[in-house]
Amino acid sequence: MSDQQTSATSSNSDSDILAMLGFAVFFGGAIIGSLGLLWLRGVQWLVEHHILVAASADPLLAIPGGDGAGLDLARIVIVAGVLVAIVAIIASTVLRKIRRRRREAL
């Protein structure tokens, strides 16, 4: 009798998994569709607040999906500086952890 209960339970969990997959596909499509709209609005907001350069200013680096909006030389230098700072912080943190582990191992 326990075998019958086990098979009934596993069939219920299989249908639950199938239902969750259906919901994931449906809501995943809705989320992906919304991301495109969010990207367009985000680029427009960045241009309005002068974080990105409008297409009429002829940017050096165009943002995909931004209708020609992008970065000029000054903004590219700022972005590169921010990226270098992030890499330096991460490298410093990793090296500090490695040194701490080596000291604890001795």
Side-chain angles (χ1 to χ4, degrees), residues 14-74:
D14 288 343
S15 65
D16 291 342
I17 291 172
L18 185 61
M20 288 190 313
L21 280 172
F23 285 128
V25 168
F26 176 76
F27 287 114
I31 290 171
I32 289 172
S34 297
L35 286 177
L37 180 61
L38 182 64
W39 177 260
L40 291 175
R41 287 187 179 174
V43 169
Q44 289 173 355
W45 184 87
L46 291 171
V47 169
E48 289 171 3
H49 289 86
H50 305 292
I51 297 170
L52 291 178
V53 178
S56 60
D58 196 33
L60 292 175
L61 180 65
I63 302 296
D67 292 331
L71 301 169
D72 60 353
L73 184 60

